[in-house]
Amino acid sequence: MKKQLSLLLAAGMTAGLLAGCGGSTSSTATESTASSTSSAATGETSGDNLSADITMWTYPIGQFSDADTVNSIITKFQESHPGINVTVEYLDYTNGDDQVTAAIEAGTTPDIVMEGPERLVSNWGAKGKMLDLSDLWTEDAVADISATSQAVVNACKGADGNYYEYPLCMTTHTMAINKEMFEAADALQYINEDGTWTTENFEKALQALKDSGVDTTMIVYCGGQGGDQGTRALVNNLYSGQFTNADHTAYTTDSDANKKALQQLLDWSNEGLISYDAAAQASDELQLFANGTVAMTLCWNASNQAQYASSVTFTPMAVAFPSDDGVPELCGGIWGFGIFDNGDDTKAAAAKEFIKFLCDDPEQGPESVRLTGFFPVRSSFGDVYTGTEDEDRMAQFSSFMQYLGDYYPVTAGWAEQRTAWWNMLQQIFTGTSVDDAVATYTTTSNDALAAAAA
Amino acid sequence: MASKTKATPAAGGEVLTYNKGTFRNSALVRQQTLAAYLFLLPALFFFVLFVVVPMVMCLVTSFFDYRMGKPLTFVGLNQYIKMFQDPTFLKALVNTFILVIVAVPTVTAFSLWVSSVVYKFSAFKRSFFRCIFYLPVVTGTVAVAVVWKWMFNKYTGLINYVLSATGVIDQNISWLGDARFALGCIILILFTTSIGQPIVLYIAALGNVDPSLIDAAEVDGANNFQVFWHIKWPQIMPTTLYILVITTINTFQCYALIQLLTSGGPNHATDTIMYYIYYQAFKLNDYGYGDAMGVILAIIIAVLSAIQFKVAGSGSGD
């Protein structure tokens, strides 16, 4: 009797468990069906009467990482699109890529993702995971964005001619100096009023800082890929090298100009004018800059300035990367939206409506840009910071937009290149000759580029 | 078929025999077996779904060129051949073995040493030390890594500060950024985060050693080493075996510290197999290659665990 009871109990527990699983499956299926029936019943795949539940994943881009801010945008959006519900998940740069990769493999990608062309276009877009957004790129939009920068339009377009990103904002990445430290070393004289300087004057400034007793003038950080645009921009600008060729079909770090720049950095390091740290990434270097340990940072932009403004006890002054001719080519950052190809036309249409609201709406568009802390890609938006408390701060960075260089992070094999880059720097600063380290880097990167293009 | 018989002494010393076939109802056995399987079923279901199936998938996909956005192509053993021609993998393999060879014996020996002192304390003091040594285990890896990263910082780190202040070094060292020290630093951190569980287990195991055996040995004139070697060591051997196997597996799977502290650098000095698997699979989306490395890692761990069972098992048999 006892055994029979046990048997019954076990059977009951198992059945309950299975029922639980089954119930869940069944309920999901029902929800899914209901949703699709509802969409089908309304027959609305465009316009304000769309009905769909969509999801958006966003990387931490300005206040788009803040749930309250994003929820308030969604509330405004739903006033005109009451049938579209938007659920947001907030990623970070530490494991956001892993989450997206896992979602792609599991077939559970969100509808919208907010990031830049290096991910949306050259990674997921090139791998066929994103929807073509050409219909959002109307002639007006192309003209408006081109008027700001043709590089933005090019960056959002894949090698197949499809647009995989609809951009919202952009910025240039700069350096920053500790103004008081430079003043004390009488090194400000080497920087032009517009924030540019030559390689020759940069060296003089390093020497002046060193002579004035500054222990750590600048750090070539290479502990990982975080903030690597800083070291890339430094190397490329010192002697006007290019990171890739014009059509992004080859990495050109092995050019004489780039090798000369790398050798120069090594020489400065050996002379004690700069430091090298294979354990530091940009975040570590920024922290050291913020606490006054190091005199300058290679990883600065308007967003960083806003973030660190309240915590620093000195004046962080944005400056361009030094270049031999005094005319820098700065790395840009472009952020916008892409839509994963989830095979649901209704959701895709709803996602496009939300993106249009965020980027193109006459009121929400400029507001969205302000929330990112960067600059609009649409020239028609004008200066979105006029009359705001950020006006002065942003004007400083706005002056650097004229130096925006080629947006090369859309080059194929980008992920492999990033690791190879900081590995190359580590090799150079630990004894490998510049020629050998650069040769290894170039081979690795161009092999990856060829494999990705195949 | 002849049924088995078994002799059992009755209370009065009379030997009774019973026929198994007579007293055991085969239907009842079936019911019992079925009940056992039904109780196992829920756990088995999840084990198969989340452990066995991924393992099999990992094995299968290791024979394919499996990358995001590319068609799945059967490549036979190419991934395995590529692996042993990949200098970064070989470097990671060597680094992983160094970690295991240094960390596992050190953790085991240190834990045993500390436990052999702590288990003799009063209950209060024993609990206190157990807590202290277990703290790094319950503290999140990220928090531990952040603290160590600060201590090893070249510019503002505690270690450089102390060594400079005491005149040991005249120039700050980038502990995690210098190939001469980086792996040693990782081993040190791994050591501090790994000793908690072995210490708690050893304290419990030593506390369970029969004191009458120790008393008897001491009465017979055995010294401390002889008591440990002939009385305690055999009795704590199962615990030692468990600690060895678990620590070996955990060390082989060292990933989080590398990801948080060095990203495998400098110059691959701290690359481990687990980190390289992550890099290939999640950064480069080359799942097939990552899976092949995962298979090799599993084989290495299985073989080493089997050896440990064999060696320690025969030791406990003595």
Side-chain angles (χ1 to χ4, degrees):
Chain A
M1 186 62 193
K2 240 188 216 174
K3 295 284 188 311
Q4 283 167 339
L5 203 63
S6 305
L7 199 64
L8 272 172
L9 188 63
M13 285 169 66
T14 309
L17 183 79
L18 291 175
C21 295
S24 162
T25 312
S26 158
S27 128
T28 309
T30 308
E31 272 175 26
S32 163
T33 310
S35 168
S36 109
T37 309
S38 162
S39 304
T42 55
E44 296 289 349
T45 54
S46 64
D48 296 349
N49 294 326
L50 264 172
S51 177
D53 292 336
I54 58 172
T55 52
M56 178 170 85
W57 287 6
T58 169
Y59 282 77
I61 300 152
Q63 290 185 57
F64 273 86
S65 59
D66 177 60
D68 290 340
T69 305
V70 177
N71 286 340
S72 71
I73 298 174
I74 293 169
T75 305
K76 274 192 264 179
F77 172 67
Q78 286 179 324
E79 287 170 9
S80 56
H81 296 80
I84 301 176
N85 294 313
V86 186
T87 307
V88 184
E89 192 169 319
Y90 302 90
L91 307 178
D92 60 50
Y93 281 108
T94 307
N95 61 10
D97 290 351
D98 299 348
Q99 283 176 262
V100 175
T101 300
I104 287 172
E105 287 309 308
T108 56
T109 43
D111 299 293
I112 303 173
V113 61
M114 181 183 192
E115 227 294 303
E118 58 270 36
R119 287 179 174 83
L120 305 188
V121 180
S122 62
N123 189 359
W124 306 320
K127 288 169 181 167
K129 305 298 176 189
M130 309 298 290
L131 275 184
D132 178 16
L133 302 181
S134 293
D135 51 341
L136 293 181
W137 284 84
T138 59
E139 281 184 19
D140 284 348
V142 172
D144 201 6
I145 296 169
S146 300
T148 303
S149 168
Q150 182 60 38
V152 176
V153 179
N154 297 342
C156 295
K157 196 191 288 186
D160 56 4
N162 293 334
Y163 287 100
Y164 293 116
E165 175 168 341
Y166 195 63
L168 170 67
C169 62
M170 60 190 290
T171 193
T172 50
H173 295 294
T174 66
M175 294 174 64
I177 61 162
N178 181 322
K179 193 175 177 186
E180 285 76 8
M181 223 180 246
F182 267 66
E183 276 172 345
D186 197 21
L188 268 183
Q189 59 173 314
Y190 302 117
I191 301 173
N192 300 324
E193 279 186 11
D194 63 357
T196 60
W197 46 352
T198 62
T199 303
E200 189 183 349
N201 279 340
F202 178 67
E203 185 172 13
K204 287 177 184 169
L206 290 175
Q207 191 63 58
L209 287 165
K210 204 71 195 170
D211 293 344
S212 74
V214 174
D215 275 341
T216 314
T217 57
M218 187 196 88
I219 301 170
V220 178
Y221 51 84
C222 47
Q225 66 181 36
D228 53 0
Q229 79 276 359
T231 50
R232 290 197 309 265
L234 179 68
V235 171
N236 289 159
N237 273 287
L238 282 176
Y239 294 104
S240 299
Q242 294 294 324
F243 202 73
T244 66
N245 60 6
D247 53 1
H248 303 150
T249 53
Y251 290 97
T252 55
T253 302
D254 56 350
S255 69
D256 289 342
N258 287 325
K259 286 200 278 191
K260 186 178 176 186
L262 287 163
Q263 185 62 50
Q264 182 66 78
L265 289 174
L266 181 62
D267 292 344
W268 285 338
S269 173
N270 291 337
E271 291 165 22
L273 291 179
I274 62 171
S275 299
Y276 136 84
D277 193 352
Q281 298 193 30
S283 55
D284 305 308
E285 186 241 21
L286 269 170
Q287 197 54 54
L288 290 166
F289 175 68
N291 66 26
T293 304
V294 60
M296 62 185 99
T297 173
L298 304 178
C299 189
W300 201 249
N301 56 39
S303 182
N304 281 347
Q305 177 115 355
Q307 185 186 339
Y308 286 96
S310 59
S311 60
V312 296
T313 56
F314 57 88
T315 312
M317 179 180 152
V319 294
F321 284 87
S323 58
D324 51 354
D325 56 3
V327 183
E329 273 197 45
L330 301 180
C331 284
I334 301 170
W335 293 273
F337 302 89
I339 299 179
F340 276 105
D341 186 359
N342 290 331
D344 187 326
D345 292 343
T346 308
K347 287 191 172 195
K352 285 178 184 173
E353 287 299 312
F354 188 50
I355 291 173
K356 279 195 283 186
F357 175 75
L358 288 168
C359 301
D360 296 347
D361 185 88
E363 283 182 21
Q364 182 57 45
E367 176 59 19
S368 298
V369 173
R370 277 191 291 271
L371 291 174
T372 64
F374 297 124
F375 299 98
V377 292
R378 278 183 171 270
S379 59
S380 60
F381 284 179
D383 185 351
V384 298
Y385 295 98
T386 303
T388 68
E389 60 181 11
D390 296 323
E391 186 174 359
D392 291 343
R393 179 173 60 82
M394 295 308 288
Q396 185 188 2
F397 287 94
S398 178
S399 66
F400 290 118
M401 294 301 285
Q402 61 182 307
Y403 300 118
L404 182 68
D406 176 37
Y407 194 84
Y408 56 74
V410 290
T411 309
W414 185 250
E416 288 90 340
Q417 175 284 133
R418 290 191 80 180
T419 302
W421 175 259
W422 56 265
N423 278 321
M424 178 193 73
L425 291 178
Q426 289 184 345
Q427 287 170 3
I428 288 172
F429 284 94
T430 53
T432 306
S433 73
V434 169
D435 282 341
D436 289 349
V438 167
T440 304
Y441 162 82
T442 310
T443 304
T444 304
S445 302
N446 283 328
D447 285 354
L449 187 154
Chain B
M1 180 189 279
S3 58
K4 288 182 181 174
T5 59
K6 188 174 182 180
T8 54
E14 183 189 355
V15 175
L16 300 174
T17 61
Y18 67 83
N19 187 311
K20 208 175 176 183
T22 309
F23 290 99
R24 285 204 171 174
N25 184 314
S26 60
L28 187 61
V29 171
R30 273 202 302 275
Q31 276 184 345
Q32 284 178 327
T33 309
L34 185 62
Y37 279 120
L38 284 174
F39 273 113
L40 274 176
L41 198 59
L44 211 56
F45 174 76
F46 286 105
F47 180 75
V48 169
L49 189 65
F50 293 112
V51 178
V52 177
V53 171
M55 278 173 67
V56 172
M57 283 176 68
C58 177
L59 180 64
V60 172
T61 51
S62 71
F63 297 108
F64 286 83
D65 184 3
Y66 175 29
R67 299 162 194 250
M68 187 192 289
K70 301 275 181 190
L72 200 66
T73 314
F74 181 75
V75 292
L77 292 172
N78 281 6
Q79 304 281 26
Y80 292 90
I81 295 167
K82 172 183 163 187
M83 191 189 311
F84 288 100
Q85 292 170 342
D86 178 349
T88 308
F89 172 77
L90 296 176
K91 177 73 177 163
L93 189 67
V94 170
N95 288 340
T96 308
F97 269 101
I98 291 173
L99 276 179
V100 171
I101 289 166
V102 176
V104 174
T106 315
V107 165
T108 310
F110 182 80
S111 306
L112 181 57
W113 176 58
V114 170
S115 310
S116 60
V117 175
V118 172
Y119 94 102
K120 294 174 185 167
F121 290 165
S122 64
F124 175 79
K125 280 169 76 176
R126 206 163 51 230
S127 293
F128 173 76
F129 280 106
R130 267 200 300 237
C131 273
I132 293 292
F133 283 110
Y134 206 71
L135 268 179
V137 181
V138 295
T139 309
T141 308
V142 175
V144 170
V146 167
V147 172
W148 277 104
K149 190 167 187 174
W150 166 70
M151 293 210 292
F152 284 131
N153 189 289
K154 179 180 176 182
Y155 309 94
T156 56
L158 181 68
I159 293 173
N160 275 334
Y161 176 78
V162 171
L163 293 179
S164 295
T166 52
V168 176
I169 56 173
D170 55 4
Q171 202 170 23
N172 283 0
I173 294 171
S174 177
W175 295 98
L176 293 168
D178 190 321
R180 292 169 300 169
F181 307 114
L183 192 61
C185 294
I186 295 292
I187 291 172
L188 177 65
I189 302 168
L190 193 63
F191 172 81
T192 60
T193 54
S194 301
I195 55 172
Q197 196 180 20
I199 286 177
V200 168
L201 290 171
Y202 267 137
I203 288 173
L206 287 165
N208 287 333
V209 174
D210 187 351
S212 65
L213 293 176
I214 298 171
D215 292 343
E218 284 172 350
V219 167
D220 288 343
N223 60 27
N224 281 344
F225 177 75
Q226 287 169 323
V227 168
F228 173 79
W229 189 246
H230 294 291
I231 308 291
K232 294 178 184 172
W233 181 245
Q235 293 199 45
I236 62 169
M237 185 53 91
T239 305
T240 304
L241 175 61
Y242 175 77
I243 288 168
L244 282 174
V245 171
I246 290 297
T247 313
T248 302
I249 292 171
N250 287 343
T251 310
F252 264 114
Q253 295 183 343
C254 178
Y255 156 74
L257 287 178
I258 308 297
Q259 162 77 350
L260 292 165
L261 293 172
T262 64
S263 302
N267 292 338
H268 304 289
T270 58
D271 258 333
T272 61
I273 302 178
M274 204 63 192
Y275 180 76
Y276 197 49
I277 290 173
Y278 161 80
Y279 173 71
Q280 288 291 339
F282 283 89
K283 292 289 179 199
L284 305 187
N285 304 139
D286 190 347
Y287 309 115
Y289 191 37
D291 286 343
M293 286 189 281
V295 169
I296 292 297
L297 180 63
I299 291 171
I300 291 171
I301 292 175
V303 168
L304 279 181
S305 298
I307 293 170
Q308 286 173 333
F309 269 105
K310 185 77 182 164
V311 173
S314 64
S316 69
D318 294 341

